[in-house]
Amino acid sequence: MRYSTALALAFSMLVGLPTASVAGSEDIVVEDAWSRASIGINRPGAAYMTLRNTGTDTVTLLGLETPLAMMPDIHETKTDANGVSSMGPVGEITIPAGESVALEPGGMHAMLMRLQTKMVEGETFPLTLTFADGGTLTVDVPILGIAARGPEG
Ligand SMILES: [Cu+2]
């Protein structure tokens, strides 16, 4: 009697499983998110992280949102042949199935323009990622020291 009850329970759990989705953004895992403390609010901040696509579909990141900054945007820093670097919006980031894309100093980053508050070391702020399938993912980004070079400090 106990055994059949367990079986029935197991069966109902199986039936209750959500069906696989083709959307994809729920397959994104964010790793090692970090940012740097700011002196004030006059200069933009930046946030870095690794976006890992654990799914079987390409996922496209379209934009960012955070209460910390009025104009968050995805940027990329490029260095030309003369060693001069400049940065600008990249529009979107495509993350192929099974691959990772790094947002890191000197490369792509989450630019936090028009800061609303100072970024204080030891605090965190929420950053919402918006994907092409309409899915969103909110990450708590730790604020490290002003001279930090990575998530280890
Ligand atoms: Cu930038």
Side-chain angles (χ1 to χ4, degrees):
M1 211 51 188
R2 272 180 125 185
Y3 184 61
S4 63
T5 306
L7 265 183
L9 182 62
F11 181 72
S12 67
M13 284 169 74
L14 271 177
V15 170
L17 282 174
T19 51
S21 165
V22 293
S25 65
E26 68 272 18
D27 294 322
I28 296 297
V29 176
V30 175
E31 295 165 336
D32 298 331
W34 67 283
S35 61
R36 288 189 194 98
S38 68
I39 293 168
I41 61 169
N42 292 329
R43 287 174 57 86
Y48 310 100
M49 68 201 71
T50 300
L51 304 168
R52 190 156 59 88
N53 184 353
T54 64
T56 53
D57 296 306
T58 294
V59 177
T60 304
L61 174 65
L62 290 184
L64 309 167
E65 228 176 290
T66 175
L68 178 67
M70 294 274 281
M71 285 180 56
D73 204 357
I74 309 160
H75 269 195
E76 184 168 24
T77 301
K78 285 178 175 162
T79 306
D80 70 14
N82 300 315
V84 179
S85 56
S86 58
M87 68 175 168
V90 289
E92 58 183 45
I93 296 177
T94 301
I95 311 152
E99 293 188 22
S100 291
V101 171
L103 307 190
E104 56 195 0
M108 286 191 286
H109 50 277
M111 197 85 209
L112 308 171
M113 290 170 288
R114 295 180 63 191
L115 288 180
Q116 298 301 287
T117 57
K118 184 179 158 179
M119 296 173 74
V120 178
E121 182 175 356
E123 295 187 353
T124 66
F125 66 92
L127 181 67
T128 300
L129 314 177
T130 305
F131 297 94
D133 64 4
T136 61
L137 184 59
T138 299
V139 188
D140 268 323
V141 183
I143 302 172
L144 307 183
I146 205 154
R149 290 171 172 273
E152 286 84 37

